[in-house]
Amino acid sequence: MASLFTSFLLTLCLFVIPSLSSDPDPLQDFCVGDLRASPSINGFPCKSSVSASDFFFSGLGGPLNTSNPNGVAISPANVLTFPGLNTLGVSMNNVEFAPGGVNPPHSHPRASEAGVVIEGSVFVGFLTTNNSLFSKVINAGEMFVVPRGLVHFQWNVGKGKARLITAFNSQLPGAVVLPSTLFGSVPEIPNAVLTKTFRTDDATVNNLKSKFAV
Ligand code: GLV
Ligand code: MN
């Protein structure tokens, strides 16, 4: 009986407790990622020599070019662009919108998101796993959160440009961007799957695929 209890506790520690956390805690002050090496079990190996410049990043300032069909552009400060974040469990994005621009529905499998509006007026929403939409228009200085893994979007509803800074509790939150995941994958998801899923026809699916093909 005692050994059954011990195995239960061990299983809890090995699987349940880690699944409640985000990126693992660092085991040393820092480990600036050596991006020339392949990622090891979790993150990049450490660079052998570091300098102050490894801990600073100037890529979040913008302005970005938002002339694209969504009217949105993102510059990420994650471990791939800013290797000083390796093992630290945090990252940020600069998100800029043209008037009417939309950051399309997407989710981050490895992080919750917190964001602040720097400029403009933005309709921000996220959806729960039972399809409740929580949304609000927020303005400069106001903040929002998106629980880890939930689908969310932002829409610039102001007259001018809009800008957000977002932050994540992962060095590489990842983004599943629904339109391009479903209609722009390589290789393609078979039309039979998509027509049935969306209760539509081949012409509609082909039209959507043509917009998201890479
Ligand atoms: C906004 O949703 C972002 O992922 O930066
Ligand atoms: Mn996001």
Side-chain angles (χ1 to χ4, degrees):
M1 189 64 192
S3 80
L4 202 66
F5 184 63
T6 314
S7 326
F8 170 72
L9 274 187
L10 207 61
T11 312
L12 198 72
C13 291
L14 283 176
F15 297 106
V16 179
I17 293 173
S19 75
L20 295 177
S21 61
S22 195
D23 286 10
D25 284 336
L27 300 179
Q28 53 215 334
D29 283 359
F30 54 76
C31 168
V32 177
D34 179 358
L35 298 196
R36 291 164 312 170
S38 325
S40 58
I41 190 161
N42 224 343
F44 289 90
C46 313
K47 256 173 75 170
S48 50
S49 113
V50 300
S51 65
S53 64
D54 286 305
F55 302 102
F56 297 89
F57 180 73
S58 49
L60 287 188
L64 303 175
N65 180 0
T66 55
S67 329
N68 57 57
N70 288 330
V72 73
I74 299 183
S75 60
N78 60 37
V79 71
L80 300 179
T81 56
F82 182 12
L85 296 177
N86 193 43
T87 75
L88 302 185
V90 291
S91 58
M92 298 180 95
N93 281 346
N94 173 35
V95 189
E96 297 187 17
F97 301 80
V102 168
N103 189 11
H106 65 280
S107 69
H108 304 288
R110 293 184 286 275
S112 296
E113 172 175 329
V116 60
V117 179
I118 305 295
E119 178 184 354
S121 231
V122 185
F123 180 82
V124 174
F126 75 81
L127 294 130
T128 66
T129 51
N130 52 18
N131 298 339
S132 299
L133 171 65
F134 289 89
S135 65
K136 188 174 179 200
V137 173
I138 57 170
N139 300 297
E142 295 185 293
M143 194 178 161
F144 64 92
V145 288
V146 179
R148 176 177 171 162
L150 296 189
V151 171
H152 59 286
F153 58 85
Q154 297 102 19
W155 171 33
N156 177 5
V157 292
K159 290 199 186 337
K161 294 186 295 183
R163 181 167 175 232
L164 307 174
I165 293 288
T166 51
F168 305 89
N169 60 336
S170 169
Q171 65 180 28
L172 193 60
V176 178
V177 184
L178 298 183
S180 45
T181 297
L182 292 171
F183 297 103
S185 68
V186 181
E188 295 176 16
I189 299 179
N191 274 21
V193 174
L194 294 172
T195 52
K196 197 90 171 160
T197 301
F198 289 100
R199 302 169 199 176
T200 188
D201 52 21
D202 278 310
T204 307
V205 166
N206 288 338
N207 181 32
L208 286 167
K209 281 188 173 176
S210 72
K211 295 180 196 302
F212 296 102
V214 279

Short mmCIF file of all heavy atoms in Angstrom, two decimals, residues 162-214:
data_model
loop_
_atom_site.label_atom_id
_atom_site.label_comp_id
_atom_site.label_asym_id
_atom_site.label_seq_id
_atom_site.Cartn_x
_atom_site.Cartn_y
_atom_site.Cartn_z
N ALA A 162 -2.07 51.71 -34.60
CA ALA A 162 -2.12 51.23 -33.20
C ALA A 162 -0.86 50.41 -32.96
O ALA A 162 -0.23 49.89 -33.90
CB ALA A 162 -3.36 50.40 -32.95
N ARG A 163 -0.50 50.33 -31.69
CA ARG A 163 0.71 49.57 -31.33
C ARG A 163 0.53 48.93 -29.96
O ARG A 163 0.00 49.56 -29.03
CB ARG A 163 1.89 50.55 -31.30
CG ARG A 163 3.17 49.90 -30.98
CD ARG A 163 4.35 50.83 -31.27
NE ARG A 163 5.54 50.17 -30.83
CZ ARG A 163 6.45 50.68 -30.01
NH1 ARG A 163 6.35 51.92 -29.59
NH2 ARG A 163 7.48 49.96 -29.64
N LEU A 164 0.98 47.68 -29.86
CA LEU A 164 0.97 46.95 -28.58
C LEU A 164 2.37 46.47 -28.29
O LEU A 164 3.13 46.17 -29.22
CB LEU A 164 0.17 45.64 -28.69
CG LEU A 164 -1.25 45.58 -29.21
CD1 LEU A 164 -1.67 44.12 -29.32
CD2 LEU A 164 -2.14 46.32 -28.23
N ILE A 165 2.68 46.30 -27.02
CA ILE A 165 3.84 45.50 -26.62
C ILE A 165 3.26 44.32 -25.85
O ILE A 165 2.45 44.50 -24.94
CB ILE A 165 4.83 46.28 -25.74
CG1 ILE A 165 5.51 47.41 -26.53
CG2 ILE A 165 5.89 45.35 -25.16
CD1 ILE A 165 6.55 46.98 -27.57
N THR A 166 3.65 43.11 -26.27
CA THR A 166 3.16 41.91 -25.59
C THR A 166 4.33 41.18 -24.93
O THR A 166 5.47 41.29 -25.39
CB THR A 166 2.42 40.98 -26.57
OG1 THR A 166 3.23 40.76 -27.71
CG2 THR A 166 1.10 41.59 -27.01
N ALA A 167 4.01 40.46 -23.87
CA ALA A 167 5.05 39.74 -23.11
C ALA A 167 4.56 38.33 -22.83
O ALA A 167 3.34 38.10 -22.68
CB ALA A 167 5.32 40.47 -21.81
N PHE A 168 5.49 37.38 -22.78
CA PHE A 168 5.15 35.96 -22.66
C PHE A 168 6.01 35.31 -21.58
O PHE A 168 7.19 35.66 -21.42
CB PHE A 168 5.43 35.24 -23.98
CG PHE A 168 4.72 35.87 -25.15
CD1 PHE A 168 5.32 36.90 -25.88
CD2 PHE A 168 3.44 35.48 -25.50
CE1 PHE A 168 4.66 37.50 -26.94
CE2 PHE A 168 2.77 36.07 -26.56
CZ PHE A 168 3.38 37.08 -27.28
N ASN A 169 5.45 34.29 -20.92
CA ASN A 169 6.26 33.54 -19.95
C ASN A 169 6.89 32.32 -20.61
O ASN A 169 6.78 31.20 -20.12
CB ASN A 169 5.42 33.17 -18.72
CG ASN A 169 4.24 32.30 -19.06
OD1 ASN A 169 3.75 32.31 -20.17
ND2 ASN A 169 3.77 31.54 -18.09
N SER A 170 7.53 32.56 -21.75
CA SER A 170 8.31 31.53 -22.43
C SER A 170 9.34 32.23 -23.29
O SER A 170 9.06 33.31 -23.83
CB SER A 170 7.41 30.68 -23.33
OG SER A 170 8.21 29.85 -24.16
N GLN A 171 10.51 31.62 -23.44
CA GLN A 171 11.51 32.22 -24.31
C GLN A 171 11.14 32.06 -25.79
O GLN A 171 11.68 32.73 -26.66
CB GLN A 171 12.89 31.61 -24.07
CG GLN A 171 12.98 30.13 -24.42
CD GLN A 171 14.37 29.57 -24.16
OE1 GLN A 171 15.09 30.05 -23.29
NE2 GLN A 171 14.77 28.57 -24.92
N LEU A 172 10.19 31.16 -26.08
CA LEU A 172 9.76 30.92 -27.46
C LEU A 172 8.31 30.42 -27.40
O LEU A 172 8.07 29.21 -27.44
CB LEU A 172 10.69 29.89 -28.12
CG LEU A 172 10.60 29.73 -29.63
CD1 LEU A 172 10.93 31.04 -30.36
CD2 LEU A 172 11.54 28.63 -30.10
N PRO A 173 7.34 31.37 -27.27
CA PRO A 173 5.95 30.95 -27.02
C PRO A 173 5.34 30.13 -28.15
O PRO A 173 4.45 29.33 -27.93
CB PRO A 173 5.19 32.26 -26.84
CG PRO A 173 6.10 33.35 -27.30
CD PRO A 173 7.50 32.83 -27.28
N GLY A 174 5.84 30.32 -29.39
CA GLY A 174 5.24 29.65 -30.54
C GLY A 174 3.90 30.29 -30.87
O GLY A 174 3.26 30.89 -29.99
N ALA A 175 3.49 30.23 -32.13
CA ALA A 175 2.18 30.78 -32.50
C ALA A 175 1.54 29.85 -33.52
O ALA A 175 2.14 29.52 -34.54
CB ALA A 175 2.35 32.17 -33.10
N VAL A 176 0.33 29.40 -33.17
CA VAL A 176 -0.48 28.64 -34.13
C VAL A 176 -1.45 29.65 -34.70
O VAL A 176 -2.40 30.06 -34.01
CB VAL A 176 -1.23 27.50 -33.43
CG1 VAL A 176 -2.11 26.74 -34.40
CG2 VAL A 176 -0.25 26.55 -32.74
N VAL A 177 -1.21 30.11 -35.92
CA VAL A 177 -2.04 31.14 -36.54
C VAL A 177 -3.10 30.41 -37.38
O VAL A 177 -2.76 29.78 -38.39
CB VAL A 177 -1.19 32.11 -37.39
CG1 VAL A 177 -2.06 33.23 -37.95
CG2 VAL A 177 -0.05 32.67 -36.55
N LEU A 178 -4.35 30.44 -36.91
CA LEU A 178 -5.35 29.51 -37.45
C LEU A 178 -5.47 29.54 -38.97
O LEU A 178 -5.43 28.47 -39.60
CB LEU A 178 -6.70 29.73 -36.77
CG LEU A 178 -6.70 29.49 -35.26
CD1 LEU A 178 -8.08 29.67 -34.68
CD2 LEU A 178 -6.18 28.11 -34.91
N PRO A 179 -5.62 30.72 -39.63
CA PRO A 179 -5.81 30.67 -41.08
C PRO A 179 -4.64 30.01 -41.81
O PRO A 179 -4.85 29.15 -42.67
CB PRO A 179 -5.94 32.15 -41.49
CG PRO A 179 -6.12 32.91 -40.22
CD PRO A 179 -5.66 32.07 -39.08
N SER A 180 -3.41 30.38 -41.45
CA SER A 180 -2.29 29.79 -42.19
C SER A 180 -2.01 28.36 -41.76
O SER A 180 -1.54 27.53 -42.56
CB SER A 180 -1.03 30.67 -42.11
OG SER A 180 -0.84 31.10 -40.81
N THR A 181 -2.32 28.02 -40.51
CA THR A 181 -2.15 26.62 -40.09
C THR A 181 -3.10 25.73 -40.90
O THR A 181 -2.70 24.67 -41.40
CB THR A 181 -2.46 26.47 -38.58
OG1 THR A 181 -1.52 27.24 -37.86
CG2 THR A 181 -2.38 25.03 -38.13
N LEU A 182 -4.35 26.18 -41.06
CA LEU A 182 -5.33 25.31 -41.72
C LEU A 182 -5.24 25.35 -43.24
O LEU A 182 -5.44 24.33 -43.90
CB LEU A 182 -6.75 25.72 -41.28
CG LEU A 182 -7.05 25.44 -39.81
CD1 LEU A 182 -8.38 26.06 -39.41
CD2 LEU A 182 -7.09 23.93 -39.56
N PHE A 183 -4.93 26.54 -43.79
CA PHE A 183 -5.00 26.67 -45.25
C PHE A 183 -3.64 26.88 -45.90
O PHE A 183 -3.55 26.95 -47.12
CB PHE A 183 -5.96 27.82 -45.63
CG PHE A 183 -7.36 27.54 -45.17
CD1 PHE A 183 -7.89 28.17 -44.05
CD2 PHE A 183 -8.14 26.60 -45.84
CE1 PHE A 183 -9.18 27.88 -43.61
CE2 PHE A 183 -9.43 26.30 -45.41
CZ PHE A 183 -9.94 26.94 -44.30
N GLY A 184 -2.56 26.96 -45.12
CA GLY A 184 -1.25 27.21 -45.73
C GLY A 184 -0.21 26.19 -45.29
O GLY A 184 0.98 26.46 -45.38
N SER A 185 -0.65 25.01 -44.81
CA SER A 185 0.33 24.04 -44.32
C SER A 185 1.07 23.39 -45.48
O SER A 185 0.59 23.39 -46.62
CB SER A 185 -0.35 22.96 -43.47
OG SER A 185 -1.16 22.15 -44.30
N VAL A 186 2.25 22.86 -45.20
CA VAL A 186 3.03 22.10 -46.18
C VAL A 186 3.38 20.75 -45.57
O VAL A 186 4.03 20.73 -44.52
CB VAL A 186 4.34 22.85 -46.52
CG1 VAL A 186 5.14 22.05 -47.55
CG2 VAL A 186 4.07 24.25 -47.02
N PRO A 187 2.94 19.61 -46.15
CA PRO A 187 1.99 19.57 -47.28
C PRO A 187 0.60 20.02 -46.83
O PRO A 187 0.33 20.16 -45.64
CB PRO A 187 2.01 18.09 -47.67
CG PRO A 187 2.55 17.35 -46.50
CD PRO A 187 3.38 18.29 -45.68
N GLU A 188 -0.26 20.22 -47.84
CA GLU A 188 -1.61 20.72 -47.56
C GLU A 188 -2.46 19.73 -46.78
O GLU A 188 -2.30 18.52 -46.95
CB GLU A 188 -2.36 20.96 -48.88
CG GLU A 188 -1.77 22.03 -49.74
CD GLU A 188 -2.51 22.14 -51.07
OE1 GLU A 188 -3.64 21.61 -51.19
OE2 GLU A 188 -1.94 22.76 -51.97
N ILE A 189 -3.40 20.24 -45.98
CA ILE A 189 -4.44 19.38 -45.41
C ILE A 189 -5.38 19.01 -46.57
O ILE A 189 -5.78 19.89 -47.35
CB ILE A 189 -5.24 20.13 -44.31
CG1 ILE A 189 -4.30 20.56 -43.17
CG2 ILE A 189 -6.37 19.26 -43.78
CD1 ILE A 189 -4.98 21.32 -42.04
N PRO A 190 -5.70 17.73 -46.74
CA PRO A 190 -6.57 17.35 -47.88
C PRO A 190 -7.88 18.13 -47.87
O PRO A 190 -8.47 18.36 -46.81
CB PRO A 190 -6.81 15.85 -47.67
CG PRO A 190 -5.69 15.40 -46.79
CD PRO A 190 -5.30 16.57 -45.95
N ASN A 191 -8.34 18.51 -49.09
CA ASN A 191 -9.61 19.24 -49.21
C ASN A 191 -10.77 18.48 -48.55
O ASN A 191 -11.66 19.10 -47.98
CB ASN A 191 -9.95 19.48 -50.69
CG ASN A 191 -9.29 20.74 -51.19
OD1 ASN A 191 -8.30 21.20 -50.61
ND2 ASN A 191 -9.81 21.29 -52.27
N ALA A 192 -10.73 17.15 -48.63
CA ALA A 192 -11.83 16.37 -48.05
C ALA A 192 -11.98 16.69 -46.56
O ALA A 192 -13.09 16.76 -46.04
CB ALA A 192 -11.57 14.89 -48.25
N VAL A 193 -10.85 16.90 -45.88
CA VAL A 193 -10.90 17.22 -44.44
C VAL A 193 -11.48 18.62 -44.25
O VAL A 193 -12.35 18.85 -43.40
CB VAL A 193 -9.47 17.13 -43.83
CG1 VAL A 193 -9.47 17.60 -42.39
CG2 VAL A 193 -8.94 15.70 -43.95
N LEU A 194 -11.01 19.56 -45.07
CA LEU A 194 -11.43 20.96 -44.85
C LEU A 194 -12.86 21.22 -45.32
O LEU A 194 -13.60 21.98 -44.69
CB LEU A 194 -10.44 21.90 -45.55
CG LEU A 194 -9.03 21.87 -44.92
CD1 LEU A 194 -8.03 22.66 -45.76
CD2 LEU A 194 -9.06 22.42 -43.49
N THR A 195 -13.29 20.59 -46.42
CA THR A 195 -14.67 20.82 -46.87
C THR A 195 -15.66 20.27 -45.84
O THR A 195 -16.66 20.89 -45.51
CB THR A 195 -14.96 20.19 -48.26
OG1 THR A 195 -14.57 18.83 -48.23
CG2 THR A 195 -14.24 20.93 -49.37
N LYS A 196 -15.33 19.09 -45.32
CA LYS A 196 -16.21 18.48 -44.31
C LYS A 196 -16.19 19.32 -43.01
O LYS A 196 -17.22 19.59 -42.41
CB LYS A 196 -15.68 17.07 -44.02
CG LYS A 196 -16.63 16.17 -43.34
CD LYS A 196 -17.46 15.42 -44.36
CE LYS A 196 -18.29 14.33 -43.74
NZ LYS A 196 -19.40 13.96 -44.63
N THR A 197 -14.98 19.73 -42.60
CA THR A 197 -14.84 20.49 -41.36
C THR A 197 -15.63 21.79 -41.41
O THR A 197 -16.33 22.14 -40.45
CB THR A 197 -13.35 20.83 -41.12
OG1 THR A 197 -12.63 19.61 -41.05
CG2 THR A 197 -13.13 21.63 -39.85
N PHE A 198 -15.50 22.50 -42.54
CA PHE A 198 -16.15 23.81 -42.63
C PHE A 198 -17.49 23.75 -43.35
O PHE A 198 -18.09 24.78 -43.64
CB PHE A 198 -15.20 24.82 -43.31
CG PHE A 198 -14.05 25.18 -42.42
CD1 PHE A 198 -12.80 24.59 -42.60
CD2 PHE A 198 -14.23 26.06 -41.36
CE1 PHE A 198 -11.74 24.90 -41.74
CE2 PHE A 198 -13.17 26.37 -40.51
CZ PHE A 198 -11.93 25.79 -40.70
N ARG A 199 -17.97 22.54 -43.65
CA ARG A 199 -19.27 22.34 -44.30
C ARG A 199 -19.38 23.22 -45.53
O ARG A 199 -20.32 24.00 -45.70
CB ARG A 199 -20.40 22.63 -43.30
CG ARG A 199 -20.25 21.71 -42.10
CD ARG A 199 -21.14 22.10 -40.96
NE ARG A 199 -20.63 21.49 -39.72
CZ ARG A 199 -21.13 21.70 -38.53
NH1 ARG A 199 -22.16 22.47 -38.36
NH2 ARG A 199 -20.60 21.11 -37.49
N THR A 200 -18.33 23.11 -46.38
CA THR A 200 -18.31 23.93 -47.59
C THR A 200 -17.80 23.09 -48.76
O THR A 200 -17.68 21.87 -48.66
CB THR A 200 -17.47 25.20 -47.34
OG1 THR A 200 -17.61 26.05 -48.45
CG2 THR A 200 -16.00 24.90 -47.11
N ASP A 201 -17.47 23.77 -49.88
CA ASP A 201 -17.10 23.03 -51.11
C ASP A 201 -15.63 23.24 -51.46
O ASP A 201 -14.94 24.07 -50.88
CB ASP A 201 -18.02 23.45 -52.26
CG ASP A 201 -18.05 24.96 -52.41
OD1 ASP A 201 -17.10 25.62 -51.93
OD2 ASP A 201 -19.01 25.49 -52.98
N ASP A 202 -15.19 22.48 -52.48
CA ASP A 202 -13.79 22.55 -52.91
C ASP A 202 -13.39 23.95 -53.37
O ASP A 202 -12.29 24.40 -53.09
CB ASP A 202 -13.55 21.57 -54.07
CG ASP A 202 -13.32 20.16 -53.56
OD1 ASP A 202 -12.49 19.99 -52.65
OD2 ASP A 202 -14.00 19.25 -54.05
N ALA A 203 -14.31 24.62 -54.09
CA ALA A 203 -13.95 25.94 -54.63
C ALA A 203 -13.61 26.90 -53.49
O ALA A 203 -12.62 27.65 -53.56
CB ALA A 203 -15.11 26.48 -55.47
N THR A 204 -14.40 26.86 -52.43
CA THR A 204 -14.15 27.76 -51.29
C THR A 204 -12.83 27.42 -50.62
O THR A 204 -12.02 28.30 -50.30
CB THR A 204 -15.32 27.66 -50.27
OG1 THR A 204 -16.52 27.87 -50.98
CG2 THR A 204 -15.17 28.65 -49.16
N VAL A 205 -12.59 26.12 -50.43
CA VAL A 205 -11.34 25.70 -49.77
C VAL A 205 -10.15 26.07 -50.66
O VAL A 205 -9.14 26.61 -50.18
CB VAL A 205 -11.38 24.19 -49.46
CG1 VAL A 205 -10.00 23.66 -49.11
CG2 VAL A 205 -12.36 23.94 -48.30
N ASN A 206 -10.27 25.84 -51.99
CA ASN A 206 -9.15 26.18 -52.88
C ASN A 206 -8.88 27.68 -52.86
O ASN A 206 -7.73 28.11 -52.89
CB ASN A 206 -9.43 25.71 -54.31
CG ASN A 206 -9.35 24.20 -54.40
OD1 ASN A 206 -8.71 23.55 -53.57
ND2 ASN A 206 -10.01 23.62 -55.39
N ASN A 207 -9.95 28.46 -52.81
CA ASN A 207 -9.80 29.91 -52.76
C ASN A 207 -9.02 30.32 -51.50
O ASN A 207 -8.07 31.10 -51.55
CB ASN A 207 -11.19 30.55 -52.81
CG ASN A 207 -11.11 32.06 -52.79
OD1 ASN A 207 -10.16 32.64 -53.30
ND2 ASN A 207 -12.09 32.69 -52.19
N LEU A 208 -9.40 29.74 -50.35
CA LEU A 208 -8.70 30.07 -49.10
C LEU A 208 -7.25 29.58 -49.16
O LEU A 208 -6.33 30.29 -48.77
CB LEU A 208 -9.44 29.46 -47.91
CG LEU A 208 -10.73 30.20 -47.56
CD1 LEU A 208 -11.58 29.39 -46.59
CD2 LEU A 208 -10.42 31.58 -46.97
N LYS A 209 -7.04 28.37 -49.69
CA LYS A 209 -5.66 27.86 -49.78
C LYS A 209 -4.80 28.78 -50.64
O LYS A 209 -3.63 29.01 -50.35
CB LYS A 209 -5.66 26.44 -50.37
CG LYS A 209 -6.04 25.37 -49.34
CD LYS A 209 -5.85 23.98 -49.92
CE LYS A 209 -6.07 22.91 -48.85
NZ LYS A 209 -5.98 21.55 -49.40
N SER A 210 -5.41 29.33 -51.71
CA SER A 210 -4.60 30.19 -52.61
C SER A 210 -4.14 31.45 -51.87
O SER A 210 -3.10 32.01 -52.19
CB SER A 210 -5.39 30.54 -53.87
OG SER A 210 -6.40 31.47 -53.52
N LYS A 211 -4.89 31.88 -50.87
CA LYS A 211 -4.51 33.09 -50.14
C LYS A 211 -3.41 32.83 -49.10
O LYS A 211 -2.71 33.75 -48.70
CB LYS A 211 -5.72 33.69 -49.43
CG LYS A 211 -6.78 34.19 -50.40
CD LYS A 211 -7.95 34.76 -49.64
CE LYS A 211 -9.18 34.91 -50.50
NZ LYS A 211 -9.02 35.74 -51.67
N PHE A 212 -3.30 31.59 -48.63
CA PHE A 212 -2.36 31.31 -47.54
C PHE A 212 -1.19 30.43 -47.97
O PHE A 212 -0.34 30.09 -47.14
CB PHE A 212 -3.09 30.70 -46.34
CG PHE A 212 -4.07 31.67 -45.75
CD1 PHE A 212 -5.43 31.57 -46.02
CD2 PHE A 212 -3.64 32.74 -44.99
CE1 PHE A 212 -6.34 32.48 -45.51
CE2 PHE A 212 -4.53 33.66 -44.47
CZ PHE A 212 -5.89 33.53 -44.74
N ALA A 213 -1.15 30.08 -49.29
CA ALA A 213 -0.05 29.23 -49.77
C ALA A 213 1.28 29.94 -49.53
O ALA A 213 1.36 31.15 -49.70
CB ALA A 213 -0.25 28.94 -51.24
N VAL A 214 2.30 29.16 -49.12
CA VAL A 214 3.61 29.81 -48.88
C VAL A 214 4.53 29.64 -50.09
O VAL A 214 4.39 28.72 -50.86
CB VAL A 214 4.32 29.26 -47.62
CG1 VAL A 214 3.73 29.93 -46.39
CG2 VAL A 214 4.21 27.76 -47.51
#
